[in-house]
Amino acid sequence: MRGYDTKRLFNLVCSAIALFCFVSLFIPVIAPCYPATNYYSATGASTTDFVFSGEYYYAREYWSISQYVFSTGSLLARIVLAMSEALLIYWAFYSVKGEAGKMGMVAAALNLVVVAVAAIDMLGKLGSCRWSVLAVVLVDAIVAAALAANVTFAKRG
């Protein structure tokens, strides 16, 4: 009975962490800036999203990782981000049911890679950053990967 309760508790924690990872992809983290020579507005309406100041275009608002990737990333980056988000939801749902298995490890690992690559790219275009929020997002992704690995590779009793 005690082993069953521990397994159920780990499944609920996995579900909560997976949902937090999903939500953290939409928390505003960074207000990017671009040098005027490198900036290109696909819509031609740079004044709606960016403010020109000196030699840089500064974003008017803070962007989340998802907004950043969808605004600046390639089609492949958008597909990988969408897959990562879908796998996090899958992991959360099936963790509650106790049927996530190794898919949780795949979801957590992909989320960690997406967050790390996006954060590194975002810091290269840094105008302003909410460092505490970025730290929470990164720590959350690392904890999710560690928890998923623990659940996946734990010895079955």
Side-chain angles (χ1 to χ4, degrees), residues 80-155:
V80 170
L81 176 70
M83 284 177 48
S84 175
E85 292 170 351
L87 285 175
L88 286 171
I89 294 296
Y90 177 89
W91 182 30
F93 178 74
Y94 282 100
S95 287
V96 171
K97 292 177 67 176
E99 301 172 6
K102 293 183 181 181
M103 187 53 73
M105 186 65 202
V106 172
L110 182 60
N111 178 60
L112 181 60
V113 169
V114 166
V115 168
V117 168
I120 290 168
D121 191 41
M122 287 166 68
L123 293 177
K125 297 174 177 72
L126 180 66
S128 179
C129 183
R130 296 177 175 168
W131 293 105
S132 58
V133 176
L134 183 61
V136 168
V137 170
L138 289 171
V139 168
D140 182 43
I142 293 167
V143 167
L147 183 62
N150 184 34
V151 170
T152 303
F153 300 119
K155 293 182 179 178

Side-chain angles (χ1 to χ4, degrees), residues 51-71:
V51 175
F52 182 68
S53 175
E55 298 176 359
Y56 291 93
Y57 281 95
Y58 291 93
R60 291 184 184 268
E61 64 181 24
Y62 282 85
W63 290 2
S64 65
I65 289 175
S66 291
Q67 187 175 4
Y68 180 80
V69 171
F70 274 95
S71 296

Side-chain angles (χ1 to χ4, degrees), residues 33-41 52-58:
C33 73
Y34 300 92
T37 56
N38 296 342
Y39 179 75
Y40 172 74
S41 174
F52 182 68
S53 175
E55 298 176 359
Y56 291 93
Y57 281 95
Y58 291 93

